[in-house]
Amino acid sequence: MVLKGGHALSVDWSRIDRYAKSLIKEAGHRIRISFYQHIDIETKADANDLVTNIDREIEQFFISHIKRDFPGHSILGEEGFGDEVNSLKGVVWMLDPIDGTMNFIHQKRNFAISLGIYSDGIGMLGYIYDVMRDEFYNAFRGEGAYLNDERIPALRKANLEEAVIGVNASWVAPNRYVDHEKMAELIHTCRGTRSFGSAAIEIAYVATGRVDAYISMRLAPWDIAGGMIIASEVGAVASNLEGKPANLLGQDTFIIANPALHGRILHDFIRLKDRT
């Protein structure tokens, strides 16, 4: 396969695609049966940043297989069992074993497995698996995006006044990241808002047109890596809230939107606060 810029890789991406799909489906099965087991819940950075033994077990399941079968690849995982990734050189797997852990604990739904596989910083394979709805989103760079093997059509032009936007209500209240009054103006301008509690699911919904944009003030690479590949195949535009490329090596602000909305939202409604 030849990538833009003339960089040729001898990687068998079709094989990796089949392999990743198989791992994700097996992981989904393990998560579903975990509801019949005891789940240990702990906090991480704060009281609302939760992790369970299932998050850790699923990440270890992925990493043990990937390290065995693709020892030259790097793995960036949310729960810290992968590699210390400081560069996007080579093949890097970016994994969130359960994106939406709070939903996993409280609702037993509205969470997803998120996986993106990158080669020298270029997204090659993206996956989001909504485990409880059995909705499997995936994309192979340049070959379109799919939901349960049905091709997802390109996004149609959206109007902001008729748009549904994914945004957490906390960013409309006073906060240290963004001008909440401008965010409130955005909410009054669009048709409606939703908050699903899983970045992966929100990005998948942008890709399928279920929502027209998704905004967050702080996401990690494993939250967005798979979804960006899927959404880009249908024309969605992603960046941080300064309009720069999304950060795949650290936490950052994030927006992904219908191409007709991305620029307008950034220009007219986003005012980041200086936190230096």
Side-chain angles (χ1 to χ4, degrees), residues 76-88:
L76 179 61
E78 179 177 15
E79 307 311 331
F81 295 107
D83 302 302
E84 184 175 342
V85 177
N86 299 310
S87 165
L88 296 178

Side-chain angles (χ1 to χ4, degrees), residues 31 34-35 39 41-42 47-52 54-55 78 96-113 129-133 168 194-203 205 214 223:
I31 292 171
S34 75
F35 290 125
I39 298 177
I41 304 168
E42 300 176 21
N48 296 323
D49 188 6
L50 304 176
V51 64
T52 71
I54 309 303
D55 294 77
E78 179 177 15
D96 192 339
I98 300 179
D99 183 69
T101 299
M102 189 181 295
N103 292 346
F104 169 73
I105 294 166
H106 287 271
Q107 301 175 344
K108 296 181 170 54
R109 65 188 65 217
N110 295 323
F111 61 87
I113 299 169
Y129 185 33
D130 185 335
V131 173
M132 302 311 290
R133 292 186 181 90
N168 188 306
R194 299 291 183 270
S195 180
F196 296 96
S198 163
I201 288 177
E202 304 242 26
I203 295 170
Y205 285 4
Y214 167 60
D223 296 315

Side-chain angles (χ1 to χ4, degrees), residues 84-224:
E84 184 175 342
V85 177
N86 299 310
S87 165
L88 296 178
K89 185 177 180 180
V91 177
V92 182
W93 300 55
M94 301 187 191
L95 170 69
D96 192 339
I98 300 179
D99 183 69
T101 299
M102 189 181 295
N103 292 346
F104 169 73
I105 294 166
H106 287 271
Q107 301 175 344
K108 296 181 170 54
R109 65 188 65 217
N110 295 323
F111 61 87
I113 299 169
S114 175
L115 174 64
I117 307 176
Y118 285 68
S119 177
D120 291 340
I122 297 173
M124 299 301 299
L125 298 166
Y127 310 90
I128 294 170
Y129 185 33
D130 185 335
V131 173
M132 302 311 290
R133 292 186 181 90
D134 195 27
E135 291 187 342
F136 194 102
Y137 306 81
N138 70 282
F140 195 137
R141 178 180 172 83
E143 297 190 6
Y146 294 82
L147 168 54
N148 291 343
D149 297 324
E150 295 290 334
R151 186 158 186 152
I152 303 171
L155 293 175
R156 297 180 179 180
K157 183 177 180 180
N159 297 314
L160 185 58
E161 290 73 16
E162 298 175 347
V164 176
I165 295 177
V167 62
N168 188 306
S170 60
W171 310 129
V172 189
N175 65 86
R176 64 192 184 99
Y177 290 93
V178 68
D179 182 343
H180 67 283
E181 293 182 354
K182 294 298 291 184
M183 292 294 290
E185 184 181 336
L186 171 62
I187 287 171
H188 286 300
T189 302
C190 72
R191 175 168 281 171
T193 62
R194 299 291 183 270
S195 180
F196 296 96
S198 163
I201 288 177
E202 304 242 26
I203 295 170
Y205 285 4
V206 172
T208 52
R210 294 174 181 175
V211 299
D212 300 290
Y214 167 60
I215 302 168
S216 181
M217 301 306 140
R218 39 181 200 198
L219 290 178
W222 46 77
D223 296 315
I224 63 176

Side-chain angles (χ1 to χ4, degrees), residues 210-271:
R210 294 174 181 175
V211 299
D212 300 290
Y214 167 60
I215 302 168
S216 181
M217 301 306 140
R218 39 181 200 198
L219 290 178
W222 46 77
D223 296 315
I224 63 176
M228 284 202 308
I229 299 169
I230 296 166
S232 69
E233 288 292 314
V234 297
V237 179
S239 72
N240 69 11
L241 293 182
E242 295 177 332
K244 298 176 181 177
N247 188 355
L248 290 174
L249 288 174
Q251 192 177 84
D252 202 355
T253 59
F254 183 73
I255 178 173
I256 189 162
N258 183 288
L261 303 182
H262 181 269
R264 182 180 175 190
I265 292 172
L266 284 183
H267 183 268
D268 292 349
F269 300 101
I270 301 299
R271 300 289 184 271

